[in-house]
Amino acid sequence: MDFLKSAVASAIAKGSSLPFSIGDRVDIGDSIWTLHNATKRDDGSACSVFTFDIAANKSRLPLAKNAVRKSRTLRHPGVIKVLDTIETESNLYIVTERVAPLSWSVKRRSISEETAKWGLYTVASTLKFINDDASSVHGAVRASSVFSSESGEWKLGGFDILSSMKEDEAIIYTYGSIVPDAARYTPPEVVKGGWDVIKRNPLASIDAYGLGVLIFEVFNGHFAGAEQVGKTTNIPPSMQQSYKRLCTANPKLRLSPAHFVEQGKKHGGFFQTPLIRLTEDMESLGLKSDAEREEFINELDGLSEDFPEDFFKMKVLPELLKSVEFGGGGPKVLGATLKIGSKLSPDEFNAKLTPVVVRLFGNPDRALRVCLLDNLPLMIDNLPQKVVNDKIFPQMTSGFTDVAPVVREQTVKAVLAVINKLSDRIVNGELLKYLARTANDEQPGIRTNTTICLGRIAKNLSDGTRSKVLVAAFTRSLRDPFVHARNAGLLALSATIDVFSEDDCAGKVLPALCPTLLDKEKMIRDQGNKTLDLYLQRIRKFGSTMADTALPASAPAEGNKTEARIGTSNDKSWAGWAISSFTNKITTANGEIQPTENGNKLAKAEAARPASVPPVISSPSASLELPRQTLRPAAQPLGRSMSDRPVPVVQEEAEEEAEEEADDVFDAWGAMDDDDDEKDEDTFTAAVSTPKPTSPEPTATTKPAAVPYDDGGEPDFAGWLAAKSKAKAKPLPPKGLNKASSTNTVARTATVSTTKPRVAAPAKKIDTTPKDAMDDDWGDAWD
C-alpha cells in the first residue's frame, strides 16, 4: 500500500507543474506525512518534500494544515528550513531543505556522546524559543520529530499540533490525541486529565517531558513506554540529575527546556563541550581578536574525528574561508580549513576550495605560503592537474628564490606533492633549473633536502635528462662539507642505482664514491662502503656477461708467417713484454732500415766532414759494438796556450751532475705521454756533428778574435763548452708545441761566438759521454 501511495504521488508530481521533482521515498515511521528526496527544477539543488495525501488521511487533515501554516510562520535556526508549501485538491506539500530522520541514527545507536550533547543542546534551545518567545507548545517532541540536515545539525519538525497558548481554540486541545503513537509519548497528567491540563500547568511542562523522552531515546536507541521514563541507563553522569527533573511526574516540578539549557551551560556543565562552543563562536569568527581567534582554532584542532563531518563541511568551512580571505584569519585558520577540506569529495573540493587555494598562492604573506605548502599533500589529490600545472606551480616558483630560508625549504619539500601533476616539459626544464639553485643554497639543510628530493623524483625525469642530472647532483653532494648532505647523496645513489647505465656506474659514480671510504665521519664511511658494494656487485654482474674480447677474429696464418709471440720468452708474469708482432726467428728480419730525416742530415754532414774530423757517432748504442777501451785525454800540441785548454772538472761538479741525471729520470717518467717530436735531442750528438762556423778575418781597427787552434780536425772544447752551457740553460718548450727541426737545433747548439776574446770556460758540469757510459773521464772519449 505504501509503495502504491509513493507511485501515485510521484506520478502526480511528475505530471504537474510543481517546482520540484520527487525522488526516492524516505522512511520516517508512523507519521501522517510521507517524506521524499527531491530536487528543485530551477537550479537542480537538493531538497526534501513532505507529502500529505488528503484522500487517504481525511481525519488527520487538520493536523496537516496546521503543520503547513506553522511551517510558514515559524523561523528559527533549530527549525527545519521551509522552502515552499503547496496545497492542491489531492495533496499538501511542504518543501524543505534536504533532511534525514534522526530516528535512523538513533535505532543504529551510531551517535557519539559529543554529537548527542550538541544535538540535544540545539533541540532544547529551539524548545526554549517556542515556549518562551513564541508562547507555544510543540506537544510531540520525540525522535521521529527531529531531523538531521545536510550539515549534520539537528532540526526540529513535526509541527502537527504545534499551538500558541494565546489562541482559545488551539488545535492541540482537540486533535492532540490523534497524533500517531500518542499513547506512548503522552505525559502522565495528560493521560489522566486530557490536553486541557496544559492550561493549569506551566506552559513548558509538556515539552519538558518530551525532551526527557528524547534524551532517553538518543542514548538508549529505543523508548518502550512510560515505565522507562526517568531511568538513567546510558545517560552521561553529568546530565543525569537534570534529566530526572525533566521527567518527573509532577508537571509543576519539571525543569523547563530553558532551565535545562542554563544548567548545561554552567561552568563544567554538560553543555560545555568544544563542539557547542565552536557552534556559538563560529558566526562571529570574523569579529574576534587575534587571541580569541587563536583560542577558537585551538579548540577546533582539539575536536576528535567522530564529530559530524557534514557540519564542518557545510557550516564551519565557509566561515573559515571567509576568515582566511577577508578576516585576517592567518595560517592557523588556514590550517584548520585545509584539514577539513581534505575530507571533501573531489567535486566538493573543486567547488568550494580550489578557487580559494589558487587565490591564496598569489598572496605575498610568507606565513600563508608556508602553511599552503605544508598542507599540499592533504589536498593535492583533489586539485585538477591543469590547475596545478598552469596556476599553482607558477606561483610556487617564487618560493625557490625567496630570501626566507624556511620558504625555500618548504618549496623544495612541496615538489614531491606536485610532481605527478606537472607536465614533462616543466619537470625536465623549469623545475630542474630551480632545483639546481637550491642544490647550491647557502643553507646546508636546503642542499640536503634538494638531494633527497631529486632522489625521490628520479622516476619522473626523462631518459635523456635523468642520468646526466642525477650523477652531477649526487656526486656534488658527496663533496658537501655538511655531513648529512653527503649522507643524503650516498643514500640517493643507493636508491637510484637502477637509473644509471653500467658505463655511468663504472666511469662516473664509482670514482666519486671512493673518497667517502676515508671520510672523517664514520657514518659516511659506513654508508660509503654499503653504496660502493651495491655498485660493484652490479658492475661485476654485468662484466661477467661481456665477451672475452672485442677484437675481430684473426685471418688464417700464411705459410711464410709465424704466430705472434707473447713477450721475448716464456715469461707469463706481469713483467713479461707486451704482445709483440715480431717473430722469434731472426732470419725473418730482412731488408734495409730506411733512414729518417735526421739520419739523412747526419749522413750529409758525414760526407762533408773533413778527413781530420773523427767520424760522427749517430747514437750512443752504436759504441756497443766496439770493444770498451780505457779512455784517456789526447795529447795537446805544444803550440797551444794554457788558456785554450779545458778546465778540469772537480769532484763536486761530478756529484751535482749525477743528481741532475736522477732528476732527468723522474722528468722522463712524468713526460711519458708526450709525443716523440717533444723529446729532447742528444746535445752531445748535436754538438759533435755540427760543422764549426768560420771566423771572420781580423781587421786593422778591431782586435783579432780568439781563433781556435787548428790541430788537424780536433774539436774546439771551449766552443763546445759554451754551446753546451747555452743548451743546458735553455728551458724545454711547452707541451704540445712542435719544436724546430733538428737542423735548426743543431745549428743553435753548435754556434760559437767569434767576436769575443777567448776566455776560460766557467766551471760547469759537462756531459760528453754517451748515455750508456757513466765514466767520469769524459775526455777519454776522444781517443
Side-chain angles (χ1 to χ4, degrees), residues 13-45:
K14 291 178 181 178
S16 65
S17 59
L18 295 175
F20 53 83
S21 298
I22 292 181
D24 299 333
R25 179 181 174 178
V26 180
D27 182 19
I28 56 175
D30 289 336
S31 175
I32 66 172
W33 297 93
T34 302
L35 178 61
H36 292 268
N37 290 329
T39 55
K40 295 177 66 175
R41 294 183 185 274
D42 54 355
D43 58 2
S45 59

Side-chain angles (χ1 to χ4, degrees), residues 228-515:
Q228 291 182 325
V229 176
K231 290 185 178 181
T232 59
T233 307
N234 298 324
I235 305 296
S238 60
M239 192 183 290
Q240 288 179 3
Q241 186 177 358
S242 299
Y243 158 72
K244 287 180 180 180
R245 291 190 61 187
L246 288 173
C247 302
T248 184
N250 187 348
K252 293 182 172 19
L253 299 178
R254 286 177 191 155
L255 193 68
S256 68
H259 288 93
F260 181 74
V261 171
E262 183 179 350
Q263 289 189 0
K265 289 292 291 182
K266 288 181 180 179
H267 181 69
F270 47 85
F271 284 154
Q272 285 292 326
T273 66
L275 190 55
I276 293 174
R277 287 195 296 269
L278 172 68
T279 306
E280 293 181 338
D281 296 341
M282 183 182 58
E283 295 180 359
S284 60
L285 180 61
L287 303 176
K288 292 183 179 295
S289 64
D290 292 341
E292 292 174 335
R293 187 183 294 113
E294 185 172 356
E295 182 181 357
F296 171 80
I297 296 302
N298 289 336
E299 289 187 354
L300 183 62
D301 290 339
L303 297 180
S304 60
E305 295 296 330
D306 58 354
F307 288 168
E309 292 184 7
D310 293 335
F311 175 71
F312 289 102
K313 295 177 183 178
M314 302 291 295
K315 292 294 184 178
V316 180
L317 185 60
E319 294 297 327
L320 292 178
L321 289 175
K322 286 190 291 186
S323 177
V324 171
E325 280 202 273
F326 312 112
K332 273 220 158 189
V333 177
L334 176 61
T337 303
L338 297 178
K339 182 179 180 181
I340 297 172
S342 64
K343 300 178 181 179
L344 298 176
S345 65
D347 293 338
E348 292 173 333
F349 192 96
N350 288 330
K352 298 179 180 180
L353 267 183
T354 298
V356 179
V357 169
V358 173
R359 289 195 296 269
L360 289 178
F361 264 105
N363 194 308
D365 189 340
R366 287 193 176 94
L368 278 177
R369 172 63 63 86
V370 171
C371 185
L372 284 169
L373 295 174
D374 284 340
N375 289 276
L376 259 181
L378 297 177
M379 56 182 175
I380 192 64
D381 291 338
N382 293 323
L383 291 172
Q385 182 174 0
K386 184 173 179 59
V387 172
V388 175
N389 197 77
D390 298 344
K391 297 181 179 180
I392 292 181
F393 183 76
Q395 300 285 354
M396 281 179 56
T397 55
S398 62
F400 289 107
T401 56
D402 195 87
V403 295
V406 64
V407 178
R408 300 199 302 273
E409 183 171 10
Q410 293 302 323
T411 305
V412 171
K413 292 180 179 179
V415 170
L416 299 179
V418 301
I419 188 68
N420 291 324
K421 296 292 182 79
L422 299 179
S423 64
D424 292 341
R425 180 184 60 83
I426 289 181
V427 170
N428 296 284
E430 191 173 357
L431 176 60
L432 289 182
K433 291 180 182 178
Y434 284 113
L435 291 179
R437 297 187 61 155
T438 56
N440 294 317
D441 197 275
E442 61 183 6
Q443 297 293 326
I446 297 177
R447 299 196 301 268
T448 303
N449 286 330
T450 301
T451 301
I452 296 172
C453 176
L454 285 170
R456 297 182 65 178
I457 68 171
K459 62 180 182 299
N460 299 95
L461 303 179
S462 65
D463 295 338
T465 305
R466 183 187 298 125
S467 178
K468 183 188 301 183
V469 170
L470 296 185
V471 168
F474 296 159
T475 54
R476 175 183 294 176
S477 67
L478 298 183
R479 303 189 298 271
D480 198 293
F482 187 51
V483 59
H484 296 290
R486 300 198 298 276
N487 191 51
L490 291 171
L491 293 173
L493 283 171
S494 299
T496 58
I497 186 173
D498 294 334
V499 305
F500 302 123
S501 65
E502 284 75 11
D503 290 339
D504 288 338
C505 293
K508 298 178 181 179
V509 179
L510 285 179
L513 286 175
C514 290

Side-chain angles (χ1 to χ4, degrees), residues 73 169 264 357 603 747:
T73 58
E169 298 297 329
V357 169

Side-chain angles (χ1 to χ4, degrees), residues 708-719:
Y709 179 76
D710 186 9
D711 57 352
E714 183 174 348
D716 181 7
F717 274 86

Side-chain angles (χ1 to χ4, degrees), residues 38 374 611 616 621 682:
D374 284 340
V616 177
S621 61
D682 191 341

